[in-house]
Amino acid sequence: MKLKLMLWVLFTLSAVTFSTAQVKFEAKVSKKKLGVNERLRVDFEMNQDGDNFTPPDFSGFSVVGGPNQSISNSWINGKRSYAKTFSYFLAPTQRGKFTIAQAQIQIDGETYKTLPVRVEVTAAVDKPKDGNNSDYIASENLHLVAEVSKANPYLNEAITVVYKLYVSPRISVSNWNELDSPKYSDFWSQAIDMKQLKVENGTYEGEPYRYVVLRKTVLYPQKTGKLNIEPLTLSIAVDVPTNRRDIFGGRLYSTVNKTVAAGNRTINVKPLPENGKPEGFTGAVGDFDFKVNASRTELDASESLEVKVEVSGEGNLKLFDLPNLTVPSGLEQYEPEHSERVRTNLGGMEGTVTDTYTLVPQFKGKYPIPALRFSYFDVSSNSYKTITSQEVVLNVRKGPDGQRIVTSSDDTVQKQVVTQSGRQFKFIKLKTTLKEINSEPFFGSALYWTALITPLLAIPLFLFFGKKQEARKNDVVGSRVRRADKLARKYLSEAKKNLGEPKSFYIAMERALHNYLKAKLQIQTSDMSKDRIQRLLRERQVDDALVIEFVALLESCEFARYTPLSSTAMQQDYEKASRVIAAMDKQL
């Protein structure tokens, strides 16, 4: 008995605690900093109905509007959603920092209080802004920011610009497009591919915001001094909540088109230091490795080999020249083939650049290819570094004798110019003027008679298809049906493109359904009542389940004019429309 009593007490306490935890009562202000000639809106929101609401005294302000009361009560998937708001509009009486004190209310016999809110009143502003104005609310709760990874880089050092759009939970964004893109005239630039936009939670100036990364760009400054990064400008459709409610108690939204810009950013680019700059430095900045490799070192005269001059690592790989290969005069050298295997990420460019030289020795002997030097500036250590490759010695075993090349004891090479005899390569002829010996004349051949008779045989076909086309044009009813069926498919495809945009989606969906009825039932839009549609479909022996689903789709299109629906609901309606039209096609 005691055990049952203890369990009942624990159950009751947990139920009360759970119920209490669900109550929310909070104060929200339209802005936390305003001019003395502006207005402030304060909302006291709760998610359960209560009694004896007591507002604060609003010290430092005078009440110029309110209290306005709004209630939202709706059922979605069997779950009740309730919201009640008391709104006040306040005018500051003086400058200074003030506190919106606690409001209180009684819910289920318990007293709840809001947290105090600090507000700063400054001097009068040039253009007073109404805290209840949709355009102003959109401006205050929408921010486009350009985040630069480094404000004072070296010349040719990689920096990253990330453009983020911050959106307050008070508003929502339904669509956006670029009005003006930055040109980056003083930079080498590479945009990072954004496969999918992802909404994340963050903060902006200490306030909770949602944000999405719209663009990432890697820049390499090509000039020193102060360089300007042009702003990115967007046109955004912003949905701002209003005080009005629909017939179901849901809050109505006002759509405002806003133009936002990320603002100009100034980068102070430092020149590379002159102290310690190596001879032959070509502007490489980063962290690199350098190699010179030969495809082979043992060969015969007139055979070819490849020598690769390769730089790999991270840095401005596409923005400097590789060292030039110098070879002895006994080697025939061709223009190098330049190749780049470089990818760009947020850290900059990384990969490999290569110059591939083709060499052909003309005479027998040993040919040393001198070592090459490659210099670069290392940003991490703020110093120049030089890498020297190994000397490559080619041993040509067979071939005509030329001037012998002697390597002296002091590692200096003595050589004489070798004169080439004759042309080393002869070109292959690519075109000929050969003719077949026993060729037949065209006149009287099978090809001649085929070309002559084919147009005559095609005349009846043209006449047949011409009559078919003429009959098709004269079939007014059939043309109207085909045109309506084509429009139904077109608008259903257009509805799919507008998933996520409720207004455009349901307009296209309704047009698709109406045109489908025109095609199948041969009725006009003005004659389309739900009762008549159901009667005509049942007369055509269409299943009752399909008829009910089709009419329900029409009702969803009408319902969407008054109540905003979620993306999930739109996707479900589109899939239902595709399925119902496909099923009805088999029965009509």
Side-chain angles (χ1 to χ4, degrees):
M1 184 66 181
K2 290 182 178 180
L3 179 60
K4 290 183 178 179
L5 180 61
M6 291 177 64
L7 290 175
W8 181 83
V9 171
L10 288 175
F11 176 77
T12 303
L13 289 175
S14 63
V16 171
T17 303
F18 177 77
S19 177
T20 303
Q22 299 302 309
V23 176
K24 291 183 180 179
F25 182 46
E26 54 186 353
K28 296 181 179 180
V29 296
S30 59
K31 48 191 169 182
K32 292 189 175 181
K33 187 175 182 179
L34 68 157
V36 72
N37 58 338
E38 293 185 284
R39 297 291 181 266
L40 178 70
R41 174 177 172 173
V42 183
D43 291 331
F44 299 98
E45 298 181 358
M46 64 201 75
N47 67 341
Q48 293 187 23
D49 196 10
D51 300 314
N52 301 324
F53 171 74
T54 305
D57 59 2
F58 299 118
S59 176
F61 296 88
S62 60
V63 178
V64 295
N68 297 332
Q69 179 177 318
S70 60
I71 298 176
S72 171
N73 192 9
S74 60
W75 290 85
I76 301 176
N77 297 328
K79 185 177 179 181
R80 180 174 179 262
S81 176
Y82 180 86
K84 185 176 183 180
T85 304
F86 291 95
S87 300
Y88 291 84
F89 296 90
L90 311 178
T93 56
Q94 58 183 330
R95 294 168 57 178
K97 294 183 179 180
F98 303 96
T99 300
I100 304 297
Q102 294 176 306
Q104 67 180 31
I105 196 169
Q106 291 181 351
I107 300 177
D108 294 333
E110 295 288 334
T111 300
Y112 295 88
K113 297 181 179 181
T114 61
L115 294 175
V117 181
R118 296 280 294 173
V119 177
E120 182 181 357
V121 179
T122 63
V125 296
D126 293 335
K127 295 180 179 180
K129 298 168 183 174
D130 181 7
N132 196 35
N133 180 269
S134 297
D135 189 83
Y136 173 66
I137 294 175
S139 301
E140 289 293 299
N141 293 276
L142 186 71
H143 310 280
L144 180 62
V145 178
E147 297 182 355
V148 181
S149 61
K150 195 170 185 179
N152 55 340
Y154 279 104
L155 181 70
N156 269 318
E157 180 185 356
I159 61 174
T160 305
V161 183
V162 178
Y163 294 94
K164 294 182 179 180
L165 180 65
Y166 285 88
V167 181
S168 171
R170 301 173 182 173
I171 62 173
S172 61
V173 172
S174 57
N175 193 17
W176 64 275
N177 65 286
E178 290 189 10
L179 292 180
D180 188 28
S181 300
K183 301 296 188 296
Y184 309 119
S185 56
D186 295 323
F187 301 85
W188 182 95
S189 63
Q190 175 68 54
I192 305 298
D193 185 25
M194 300 290 294
K195 296 181 180 179
Q196 184 177 4
L197 299 181
K198 182 180 178 182
V199 179
E200 300 182 45
N201 293 322
T203 59
Y204 179 81
E205 295 184 351
E207 296 288 334
Y209 271 76
R210 296 162 296 164
Y211 72 89
V212 61
V213 176
L214 300 178
R215 178 186 287 192
K216 299 177 181 178
T217 305
V218 175
L219 304 178
Y220 284 87
Q222 302 299 293
K223 293 169 59 177
T224 60
K226 292 184 178 181
L227 303 184
N228 181 53
I229 297 179
E230 296 180 356
L232 172 67
T233 306
L234 304 178
S235 175
I236 303 177
V238 184
D239 296 328
V240 180
T242 66
N243 290 327
R244 296 179 293 116
R245 303 279 176 169
D246 58 24
I247 58 175
F248 301 99
R251 187 183 292 273
L252 295 178
Y253 286 76
S254 173
T255 301
V256 179
N257 291 317
K258 292 296 298 179
T259 300
V260 294
N264 287 282
R265 297 297 302 271
T266 301
I267 306 299
N268 187 19
V269 182
K270 300 180 292 187
L272 298 176
E274 292 294 330
N275 186 24
K277 181 181 290 187
E279 184 179 355
F281 175 73
T282 58
V285 177
D287 185 13
F288 302 106
D289 189 19
F290 176 64
K291 294 183 294 184
V292 177
N293 295 319
S295 59
R296 54 179 175 167
T297 57
E298 299 281 338
L299 71 164
D300 296 335
S302 298
E303 293 182 342
S304 64
L305 74 150
E306 291 183 344
V307 177
K308 291 186 177 180
V309 180
E310 179 181 280
V311 174
S312 59
E314 300 179 355
N316 59 335
L317 286 163
K318 297 182 179 182
L319 304 177
F320 59 81
D321 297 325
L322 297 179
N324 292 322
L325 185 70
T326 57
V327 299
S329 59
L331 298 176
E332 187 172 1
Q333 175 181 327
Y334 293 88
E335 286 294 323
E337 179 183 350
H338 185 77
S339 64
E340 298 176 350
R341 290 183 299 168
V342 179
R343 60 184 179 275
T344 305
N345 52 35
L346 281 180
M349 288 185 275
E350 61 179 23
T352 303
V353 293
T354 306
D355 279 348
T356 303
Y357 294 82
T358 299
L359 305 180
V360 181
Q362 304 300 309
F363 301 97
K364 182 174 64 175
K366 290 186 180 294
Y367 296 87
I369 299 177
L372 297 182
R373 293 164 58 90
F374 172 72
S375 300
Y376 66 94
F377 182 75
D378 185 8
V379 177
S380 59
S381 62
N382 291 333
S383 63
Y384 291 96
K385 294 184 178 180
T386 300
I387 303 175
T388 303
S389 67
Q390 297 292 326
E391 182 184 66
V392 178
V393 179
L394 304 181
N395 183 22
V396 182
R397 297 164 300 195
K398 297 180 181 180
D401 291 329
Q403 179 67 35
R404 182 179 297 275
I405 300 176
V406 181
T407 304
S408 63
S409 58
D410 59 352
D411 293 335
T412 60
V413 179
Q414 298 177 355
K415 55 190 177 183
Q416 294 183 1
V417 177
V418 178
T419 305
Q420 298 181 7
S421 58
R423 300 180 63 184
Q424 303 301 311
F425 299 97
K426 291 187 177 180
F427 295 100
I428 299 173
K429 292 184 178 180
L430 301 178
K431 296 182 180 180
T432 65
T433 57
L434 301 178
K435 294 183 179 180
E436 189 178 352
I437 297 175
N438 297 322
S439 61
E440 296 182 358
F442 174 73
F443 184 77
S445 65
L447 179 62
Y448 167 79
W449 290 111
T450 301
L452 183 65
I453 296 174
T454 300
L456 299 176
L457 295 176
I459 292 175
L461 293 175
F462 285 121
L463 293 175
F464 174 76
F465 285 113
K467 291 181 178 180
K468 283 285 186 180
Q469 187 68 21
E470 186 67 24
R472 187 182 179 91
K473 290 181 180 178
N474 293 332
D475 184 8
V476 178
V477 175
S479 297
R480 185 182 302 163
V481 170
R482 287 189 295 272
R483 184 166 59 253
D485 187 62
K486 184 177 180 182
L487 285 173
R489 305 295 176 183
K490 171 188 173 184
Y491 288 122
L492 196 58
S493 174
E494 184 178 341
K496 183 178 181 181
K497 295 178 182 178
N498 289 310
L499 280 170
E501 300 179 13
K503 184 177 179 180
S504 302
F505 171 79
Y506 282 104
I507 289 175
M509 175 75 74
E510 190 174 28
R511 289 179 179 175
L513 297 176
H514 284 175
N515 280 287
Y516 180 77
L517 292 176
K518 287 182 183 180
K520 296 301 181 181
L521 304 182
Q522 300 180 17
I523 61 175
Q524 297 301 315
T525 305
S526 58
D527 299 331
M528 290 183 187
S529 66
K530 295 176 186 176
D531 294 336
R532 188 180 183 192
I533 291 171
Q534 294 183 51
R535 179 171 55 80
L536 290 175
L537 289 176
R538 289 192 173 98
E539 289 176 358
R540 299 290 185 92
Q541 305 299 318
V542 178
D543 291 343
D544 286 342
L546 290 177
V547 174
I548 292 171
E549 285 188 303
F550 192 90
V551 173
L553 284 171
L554 291 174
E555 291 176 347
S556 292
C557 294
E558 295 176 0
F559 184 74
R561 297 176 184 173
Y562 307 102
T563 303
L565 298 180
S566 64
S567 299
T568 303
M570 285 188 281
Q571 182 67 36
Q572 292 174 350
D573 285 342
Y574 173 77
E575 293 173 356
K576 183 189 292 185
S578 302
R579 177 175 54 79
V580 169
I581 289 177
M584 288 176 63
D585 269 339
K586 298 177 183 178
Q587 300 182 22
L588 290 174

